[in-house]
Amino acid sequence: MRSTALILFLVSTSIVNAQKVALVLSGGGAKGIAHVGVLKALEENEIPIDFIVGTSMGGIVGGAYAAGFSPQQIEAMVLSEEFLRWVTGQPEKGSNFHYYTHEATPDFLRLNLSLDSARTFQFNTSFTNDASLNFALTDKIGAASSVSGNNFDSLFVPFRVVAADIFSQNQVILSKGSLSEALRATQTVPFVYTPVRVEGKYLFDGGVYNNFPVDVAQREFNPEIIIGSNVSSKIYNEYPYDDDDNLISRSLIYMLLDKSNPDAIPETGIYIQPDLKPYTAFDFSRARAMIDSGYWQTIRQLDEIRKKIDARQPVTQVNQLRSEFRAKTKPIIADKLEFRNFSVQQQKYIRRIFNLHGDQTKPLKLEEVKEGYFKLVAEPYFNNVFPTIKYLPEEASYVLQLTRRPQKNFQVDFGGVLATRNISNIYLGLNYYYFRNALTHVYLGLQTGSFYKSFVANTRIDLPYLGRFYIQPEVVYNDWDFIESTDLLQKSSPTVLKRFDRKLGISFGWPLGDRIKSDFSFSGFTNSDRYSNSKSFNSLDTLDNLSLDGYKTGLRLTINDLNRKQYASLGKSYSLSVYYLHVRENYEPGTTSVSPVPVTKNHQWFRLRATAEHYFSRGSFRPGFYADVVFSNQPFFQNYFGTIINTPAFYPIQDSRTLILENFRSTNYLALGARNVIVVQPRTLDIRVEGYLFKPLEYILEGQNQEAYTNTSLTTLFFAGSTSLVYHSPIGPISLSANYYDDAENKFGLLFHVGFLLFNRHTLED
């Protein structure tokens, strides 16, 4: 009995006198991932961690550890493709709700503005879509609150996170409430992410006023030992004359973040600074190397750490305590859906997206919450909605809260392309949103250049009825001017063709499941093609004028989760369409026509088309294919050239739409090709090697009298190929490509372009 009492006394005495260790994790953007390596090394070597304080990315890593994630689990998370999607603003894989996808435009910069009730504009300062990051934090971290009761002292490790109130210019220490909100607040880098409101205040990145919160750890926890892990390079007390040329490119970060002072660590503590000089605050793709830097720097200082910290905590014991903590978490099922800053009409609209009708209430499983949220934010207007899964201790239940932050209801898009041929143009897009009982999106788009000009105006009205559908009236004007252009490899013969395309239409769209978008459209059009039938055209000649007036109606089904709107390397895109066209042909011959007689005819035809683009690998080599199939009973027009330019075309390479490739057009054809992508630098630099075979089932030829006729020979086959070096820059792709076509006028081409080489489809196209 006495021995048992003595043992208990000694144990209790050791517990009382044990050193308490606080770990402080600095901010530093992507470089904060190195903290994961520090955690790994400390835990593997039985160094106890009794408290954690973090700011910015240090807050994210520390918060995940405090929520019961092991260093290995945090490492797996930051090395995952999903993590890269969260921090770069891409939708989470499998959550791409294609129903909201709009036609691709050549914009590379979007300016977000808020048009308030006084009709004044306010600039929205965030440049990164944070929808995926917001949900990931509330999804991964939310359940820990069911154990802690929203008290950060009751987490697996007591925790403090630092944020910034820029209005009062003070730091804010968060110690209670929603852990996911606190972590999101400390990660709000100014000009990158939209701020979130916590405890009634809009908060920003904690690094603005305290990037290395050693003082917070001392004040909040009064530990015997502080281990400080600093990943910020902003540590200068004096001007860095030797490094200023290298550091000037990071001047914005230096202006936004407070200095991390190594001297803040007392002599009894340990200061760890991993070697992160090769990395920037945005190098999230180099996470593994940064984790290793943090790990090995900690291992190198292990003797110092062991000398200053006597206490040990075996890994098995830590894992046991962690498992017990995680076992207490309550699975996330949202018993209620709450709204902040939404009107009653807006709430009804959003509730239908979560399959809640009227005043219906039902528990939403995490999978249902995730599906509804990503369906909502797939529309750009809603990606500013902030989700929080809050735990209510008094009710022992969760609530999903959707908060409307300052709205981006007016957006201005800028874009275009610069090219070594005469196909350069500039683009301007204007978007206005109005949201009440329905979501209304008004869009105006303009493109202008010597080759192509366009004007598009449409209004899309989304209605949450009958499942969901939209109505979109539209006006389109397109103008192409195909003229002689000098390629870098050869001078092509002139193609004298001016195309005018005018359309007024309406479309109805609805989703088929989460991946398929269906679109039924009806449009009336009046088009005009002015062209020469001869390459030897002079100033005294007049052009043929082929006018096609009529209407087009049909159905189109599409799937698209490609990672880029041009030069994709991941994902897939499939489409199937069927259209009926009724056209009145009015032909007026010019001086290059062999027939001087004007012609007026009526034509009707059906067309079925299927296309597929798919990439398969996630490594450095990503093989893919592209296929295009057309079946149609489309008739011929008055002469060969008028027929060929209005016949379905195969556009395999980026510049195909800028050329009249007569051998790659047919009313019925099969086309298949390989699109192989070699990733030189993830997400930035690719080499593309492409090759295609085009088989016209009806090869259109020109007769002696300029009439069109067909050759159905099975041996007729044409090849197109391209080799490209593509750099994916913030202003769009920068591409240098060598292209080949089995076409007498455009056999070889060398094209360099900066920006998106994208144009609207002609009305007769699918």
Side-chain angles (χ1 to χ4, degrees):
M1 183 71 178
R2 289 181 179 178
S3 61
T4 303
L6 179 61
I7 292 172
L8 291 174
F9 173 78
L10 292 174
V11 170
S12 63
T13 302
S14 65
I15 292 174
V16 170
N17 295 328
Q19 293 171 306
K20 293 298 182 181
V21 180
L23 177 63
V24 177
L25 305 178
S26 80
K31 293 190 289 186
I33 294 173
H35 294 315
V36 181
V38 175
L39 282 170
K40 280 181 62 180
L42 293 175
E43 192 169 289
E44 286 178 6
N45 290 279
E46 302 184 347
I47 306 301
I49 300 172
D50 300 298
F51 313 104
I52 293 186
V53 178
T55 190
S56 194
M57 184 57 75
I60 298 290
V61 174
Y65 189 83
F69 287 87
S70 70
Q72 291 75 20
Q73 289 174 319
I74 303 172
E75 179 181 33
M77 190 184 305
V78 300
L79 293 178
S80 67
E81 180 188 345
E82 287 75 16
F83 180 80
L84 284 176
R85 288 177 174 270
W86 301 338
V87 297
T88 57
Q90 299 179 59
E92 189 168 315
K93 184 173 173 57
S95 301
N96 181 16
F97 191 48
H98 180 50
Y99 167 75
Y100 274 124
T101 303
H102 300 275
E103 292 293 330
T105 57
D107 61 287
F108 56 74
L109 175 64
R110 168 160 288 184
L111 183 65
N112 292 307
L113 302 169
S114 296
L115 182 61
D116 60 24
S117 57
R119 295 295 184 266
T120 59
F121 288 106
Q122 297 179 7
F123 178 58
N124 192 296
T125 57
S126 63
F127 294 107
T128 301
N129 182 349
D130 61 357
S132 294
L133 175 63
N134 295 338
F135 189 83
L137 287 173
T138 197
D139 173 10
K140 304 297 182 185
I141 303 296
S145 295
S146 66
V147 183
S148 68
N150 297 323
N151 183 349
F152 296 177
D153 285 334
S154 299
L155 291 167
F156 174 63
V157 175
F159 176 63
R160 295 292 183 271
V161 62
V162 181
D165 172 8
I166 65 170
F167 296 110
S168 65
Q169 296 187 346
N170 287 309
Q171 67 176 0
V172 177
I173 312 303
L174 299 173
S175 62
K176 62 181 180 179
S178 168
L179 179 59
S180 62
E181 279 188 350
L183 298 188
R184 175 59 183 81
T186 194
Q187 186 63 11
T188 305
V189 181
F191 306 113
V192 177
Y193 294 122
T194 302
V196 297
R197 190 189 291 273
V198 180
E199 297 182 355
K201 299 178 180 178
Y202 281 115
L203 300 183
F204 284 83
D205 192 309
V208 172
Y209 298 122
N210 196 345
N211 200 44
F212 195 35
V214 175
D215 59 326
V216 176
Q218 293 171 321
R219 189 167 57 251
E220 293 285 320
F221 298 121
N222 192 28
E224 283 80 14
I225 302 292
I226 290 180
I227 302 175
S229 176
N230 176 38
V231 297
S232 173
S233 58
K234 188 177 180 182
I235 59 175
Y236 303 100
N237 290 319
E238 297 180 358
Y239 189 88
Y241 289 100
D242 295 335
D243 285 339
D244 56 356
D245 286 335
N246 296 325
L247 296 172
I248 191 65
S249 62
R250 308 174 196 173
S251 56
L252 179 60
I253 296 296
Y254 277 69
M255 286 189 292
L256 295 177
L257 298 183
D258 182 47
K259 183 179 72 173
S260 296
N261 186 6
D263 296 336
I265 298 292
E267 291 185 3
T268 57
I270 299 100
Y271 178 74
I272 300 173
Q273 183 160 16
D275 182 10
L276 300 171
K277 291 180 181 177
Y279 314 110
T280 72
F282 302 100
D283 277 338
F284 290 100
S285 62
R286 305 173 74 179
R288 185 178 297 279
M290 289 186 285
I291 291 173
D292 289 344
S293 295
Y295 180 87
W296 289 111
Q297 182 59 40
T298 307
I299 294 298
R300 282 190 287 270
Q301 295 182 231
L302 201 54
D303 288 343
E304 176 194 1
I305 296 171
R306 285 172 171 165
K307 286 178 182 178
K308 292 184 176 181
I309 300 176
D310 297 327
R312 300 290 180 267
Q313 190 170 28
V315 176
T316 53
Q317 181 184 7
V318 177
N319 287 334
Q320 177 64 31
L321 293 172
R322 183 181 288 119
S323 297
E324 291 173 0
F325 180 87
R326 300 289 291 177
K328 295 177 185 177
T329 59
K330 181 181 175 65
I332 294 178
I333 299 176
D335 291 329
K336 291 189 294 183
L337 177 60
E338 293 184 350
F339 298 90
R340 291 180 60 185
N341 305 329
F342 288 100
S343 69
V344 174
Q345 295 91 338
Q346 293 169 341
Q347 292 179 29
K348 289 180 179 179
Y349 181 97
I350 295 175
R351 284 175 60 83
R352 285 180 174 271
I353 294 177
F354 284 85
N355 293 319
L356 298 173
H357 303 281
D359 296 328
Q360 174 189 0
T361 59
K362 68 173 183 177
L364 295 172
K365 297 179 181 178
L366 182 60
E367 295 77 12
E368 295 174 308
V369 170
K370 184 175 183 178
E371 180 181 0
Y373 172 74
F374 279 105
K375 282 184 178 180
L376 180 67
V377 300
E379 164 55 57
Y381 176 77
F382 290 117
N383 62 32
N384 215 28
V385 173
F386 184 75
T388 306
I389 298 175
K390 289 193 171 183
Y391 183 72
L392 306 178
E394 63 278 6
E395 300 177 16
S397 65
Y398 294 98
V399 59
L400 171 62
Q401 185 180 87
L402 299 177
T403 302
R404 181 180 181 180
R405 293 181 289 178
Q407 205 63 45
K408 299 178 289 188
N409 61 349
F410 191 85
Q411 297 163 352
V412 183
D413 299 333
F414 302 93
V417 64
L418 293 174
T420 52
R421 289 187 8 229
N422 68 313
I423 53 177
S424 301
N425 66 70
I426 58 175
Y427 166 80
L428 174 67
L430 303 176
N431 302 269
Y432 175 71
Y433 292 89
Y434 177 75
F435 178 38
R436 195 170 182 183
N437 295 315
L439 176 65
T440 302
H441 174 197
V442 179
Y443 167 75
L444 297 176
L446 300 102
Q447 270 179 271
T448 183
S450 60
F451 166 71
Y452 176 70
K453 298 177 180 65
S454 77
F455 170 79
V456 178
N458 61 49
T459 299
R460 172 167 162 162
I461 304 170
D462 279 279
L463 300 161
Y465 307 111
L466 302 176
R468 197 171 210 183
F469 71 97
Y470 68 78
I471 303 172
Q472 180 173 303
E474 183 175 52
V475 176
V476 178
Y477 170 80
N478 294 312
D479 179 348
W480 290 269
D481 191 355
F482 292 83
I483 60 173
E484 178 182 5
S485 64
T486 302
D487 189 87
L488 294 181
L489 292 184
Q490 68 175 17
K491 184 176 181 180
S492 59
S493 300
T495 298
V496 181
L497 169 63
K498 295 185 178 182
R499 310 201 74 186
F500 302 93
D501 176 26
R502 296 167 288 269
K503 180 180 75 171
L504 175 64
I506 188 169
S507 59
F508 303 85
W510 63 96
L512 298 177
D514 293 344
R515 304 291 176 262
I516 303 176
K517 174 184 176 182
S518 58
D519 183 283
F520 174 79
S521 62
F522 179 90
S523 59
F525 57 87
T526 172
N527 300 335
S528 176
D529 294 320
R530 300 179 62 217
Y531 56 87
S532 169
N533 296 284
S534 171
K535 298 295 182 183
S536 56
F537 182 82
N538 61 61
S539 59
L540 298 178
D541 287 326
T542 58
L543 299 175
D544 288 18
N545 188 9
L546 176 64
S547 297
L548 301 178
D549 306 322
Y551 64 87
K552 171 185 175 183
T553 185
L555 177 67
R556 188 166 180 246
L557 306 177
T558 57
I559 298 172
N560 191 334
D561 63 2
L562 295 174
N563 63 333
R564 299 187 184 100
K565 56 187 173 184
Q566 192 168 34
Y567 298 116
S569 61
L570 286 175
K572 60 186 178 298
S573 174
Y574 290 84
S575 71
L576 176 65
S577 62
V578 57
Y579 286 99
Y580 168 75
L581 294 95
H582 187 283
V583 175
R584 182 178 181 84
E585 173 189 9
N586 291 289
Y587 171 72
E588 296 180 4
T591 56
T592 63
S593 174
V594 298
S595 173
V597 181
V599 174
T600 298
K601 290 183 180 179
N602 290 320
H603 305 282
Q604 302 88 34
W605 70 89
F606 287 93
R607 181 167 62 240
L608 176 68
R609 187 169 196 164
T611 64
E613 181 178 5
H614 202 137
Y615 301 89
F616 294 100
S617 174
R618 299 188 181 280
S620 58
F621 178 61
R622 300 176 181 178
F625 73 85
Y626 180 72
D628 188 7
V629 178
V630 172
F631 296 106
S632 173
N633 63 339
Q634 179 174 334
F636 292 163
F637 298 113
Q638 182 59 25
N639 58 21
Y640 166 78
F641 197 71
T643 297
I644 204 73
I645 59 177
N646 288 291
T647 296
F650 178 52
Y651 300 122
I653 303 174
Q654 74 277 17
D655 70 337
S656 298
R657 288 183 178 274
T658 68
L659 303 169
I660 300 298
L661 301 167
E662 299 178 25
N663 289 339
F664 291 83
R665 292 173 176 263
S666 177
T667 53
N668 293 274
Y669 68 77
L670 307 172
L672 178 65
R675 289 184 169 175
N676 299 310
V677 183
I678 302 169
V679 179
V680 179
Q681 182 68 37
R683 298 189 314 282
T684 57
L685 186 62
D686 297 336
I687 296 175
R688 301 179 68 92
V689 180
E690 308 174 34
Y692 306 90
L693 291 176
F694 177 80
K695 171 57 187 166
L697 303 181
E698 295 179 337
Y699 179 38
I700 303 175
L701 297 168
E702 183 176 11
Q704 293 182 349
N705 296 316
Q706 296 179 341
E707 78 280 8
Y709 72 97
T710 59
N711 181 342
T712 57
S713 171
L714 296 177
T715 60
T716 305
L717 196 66
F718 299 100
F719 174 78
S722 175
T723 299
S724 307
L725 181 66
V726 183
Y727 175 72
H728 302 281
S729 77
I731 59 171
I734 301 175
S735 170
L736 176 64
S737 61
N739 304 326
Y740 171 83
Y741 297 100
D742 270 342
D743 184 89
E745 304 297 336
N746 303 281
K747 189 173 291 291
F748 294 101
L750 187 66
L751 177 66
F752 176 78
H753 74 88
V754 179
F756 293 100
L757 198 58
L758 296 172
F759 309 98
N760 297 325
R761 291 193 299 267
H762 190 275
T763 300
L764 296 188
E765 295 181 34
D766 299 337

